Amino acid sequence: MEQKSVENGGWSPYLAGGLSGLVIIVSVLWTGKFFGASTSFVRSVGMLENYFDPERVAQLDYFVRYLPKFDWQLLFVIGIFVGSLIASLSSNTFKWQGVPDMWAERFGTNPALRGIVAFIGGIIAMYGARLAGGCPSGHGLSGIIQLAVSGLIAMVFFFVGGIIMARLVYCGGNCK
Amino acid sequence: MSAEMIFGLITGISFGFLLQKGGVVRYDKQLGALRFKDMTILKFMLSAIIVGMVGIHFFEIFGLVQLLYKPVVLGENIAGGLIFGLGWGLLGYCPGTQGGALGEGRWDSLWGILGMIVGAGVYAETYPLLMDRFLDWGISATFPCPSCLV
């Protein structure tokens, strides 16, 4: 396998992306299922709420549809963490950082501000992903790979929303 | 653990490894694409889609793969897509990739993970209301693109 060094130890995104396509094919052949990431957050919050208030969880239709249990997709999401950890440690690109460089240039290096915005962004993003029926993994990759119209529509609007917000946050490209 | 769960973990590790090697888990790369400055994540995604698409449809011909697409519900797909996008622009991580961002030490993704867990809970709370009022908006059908073209 030819490795093209892009940024200290990185591979060409075309190569890494193409290999990910192969991973998806093998995974579908093996399990007969297409992966997604956002359902795992529903199951996770269901499991957490079960710990505090199981009656409430039993009342909510959404947790009947997506049972709060540990399933293969949750392990898939955990696996992404492990895989990235292995890759970054093996290529010395692991970096303990709480404020991304681009963010720091615009808003400074206060991790609390970044944390608050990231937290709010996470709430909004997951709400939207569940409403849309998937995230860039489930709709974007698994959906478009099957030529699903729902995946194409959702992916277009993921980017439309993202581009609008990025322009708002970075003042329409006028600031750095 | 069942074989399926072990395979989910193996798929995740391989995918996470490649995401990190491709450099696509970072905030700077995600916002770079949304600001039209750095198209790394698009190169990665579209390469994965091209390879995966050919393979999945190839094996589907021989009946080894069954397609399972999500239904088209325009109201949900468009409104949900936009809302996701707005949150994504703030957070700079995706539900799948932020675990990878944490894996390479970008710990601000922890806030995103917490936010997403809360967001999923909020959605579960509002789901009955949405179900009554909005969730059947737009056409609802399960069809793949090839059949809408012919």
Side-chain angles (χ1 to χ4, degrees):
Chain A
M1 195 193 322
E2 197 195 359
Q3 291 184 16
K4 187 182 162 200
S5 181
V6 179
E7 271 170 32
N8 47 14
W11 294 358
S12 153
Y14 296 113
L15 174 66
L19 289 172
S20 302
L22 292 179
V23 169
I24 296 172
I25 296 169
V26 174
S27 139
V28 173
L29 277 174
W30 226 304
T31 63
K33 290 179 179 165
F34 289 87
F35 66 63
S38 60
T39 314
S40 299
F41 287 85
V42 178
R43 297 194 203 277
S44 303
V45 75
M47 286 189 286
L48 281 174
E49 281 187 45
N50 248 339
Y51 198 71
F52 297 106
D53 191 357
E55 285 171 23
R56 181 78 192 136
V57 174
Q59 282 170 1
L60 289 171
D61 292 345
Y62 206 58
F63 292 128
V64 176
R65 193 170 152 198
Y66 298 102
L67 286 174
K69 63 173 172 103
F70 214 87
D71 75 338
W72 73 280
Q73 290 213 24
L74 190 51
L75 279 163
F76 166 73
V77 174
I78 295 168
I80 292 177
F81 166 77
V82 177
S84 173
L85 185 66
I86 296 170
S88 62
L89 289 178
S90 66
S91 61
N92 271 329
T93 48
F94 183 92
K95 192 171 157 196
W96 193 246
Q97 190 181 33
V99 181
D101 297 336
M102 190 189 279
W103 176 276
E105 259 179 50
R106 170 90 175 88
F107 297 105
T109 52
N110 182 358
L113 177 68
R114 168 63 188 148
I116 292 166
V117 174
F119 181 70
I120 295 169
I123 296 176
I124 299 171
M126 183 49 64
Y127 194 89
R130 293 324 301 162
L131 183 58
C135 62
S137 307
H139 264 320
L141 288 178
S142 295
I144 295 178
I145 276 174
Q146 302 178 68
L147 289 165
V149 175
S150 55
L152 285 166
I153 296 171
M155 199 60 204
V156 167
F157 284 93
F158 291 158
F159 272 92
V160 170
I163 288 163
I164 292 171
M165 184 53 79
R167 292 192 79 78
L168 289 174
V169 172
Y170 290 93
C171 43
N174 292 322
C175 60
K176 273 199 93 176
Chain B
M1 269 205 294
S2 67
E4 185 185 87
M5 290 172 88
I6 291 169
F7 207 75
L9 187 65
I10 295 171
T11 308
I13 293 175
S14 326
F15 191 54
F17 185 88
L18 293 167
L19 283 168
Q20 204 279 338
K21 284 290 181 195
V24 295
V25 288
R26 261 158 245 172
Y27 174 93
D28 293 10
K29 297 286 179 185
Q30 309 242 335
L31 261 289
L34 296 178
R35 296 174 70 196
F36 305 108
K37 285 174 183 290
D38 181 344
M39 290 300 162
T40 309
I41 65 165
L42 279 177
K43 291 172 189 169
F44 181 95
M45 275 198 82
L46 295 177
S47 307
I49 287 171
I50 288 170
V51 172
M53 193 183 274
V54 172
I56 294 295
H57 285 88
F58 175 80
F59 288 114
E60 200 239 342
I61 294 171
F62 300 103
L64 293 169
V65 163
Q66 203 171 9
L67 300 184
L68 295 161
Y69 11 77
K70 300 177 180 190
V72 179
V73 188
L74 281 182
E76 283 183 30
N77 294 149
I78 293 175
L82 276 174
I83 295 171
F84 174 85
L86 294 172
W88 180 29
L90 285 174
L91 172 58
Y93 298 119
C94 291
T97 61
Q98 65 186 351
L102 185 61
E104 60 166 16
R106 270 64 177 186
W107 59 266
D108 54 322
S109 57
L110 270 176
W111 295 110
I113 293 168
L114 283 175
M116 287 201 180
I117 291 173
V118 173
V122 174
Y123 186 76
E125 294 288 336
T126 55
Y127 180 70
L129 177 78
L130 288 166
M131 200 66 186
D132 282 354
R133 301 271 171 93
F134 305 109
L135 286 191
D136 50 355
W137 282 10
I139 51 162
S140 181
T142 313
F143 56 90
C145 218
S147 64
C148 75
L149 294 176
V150 290

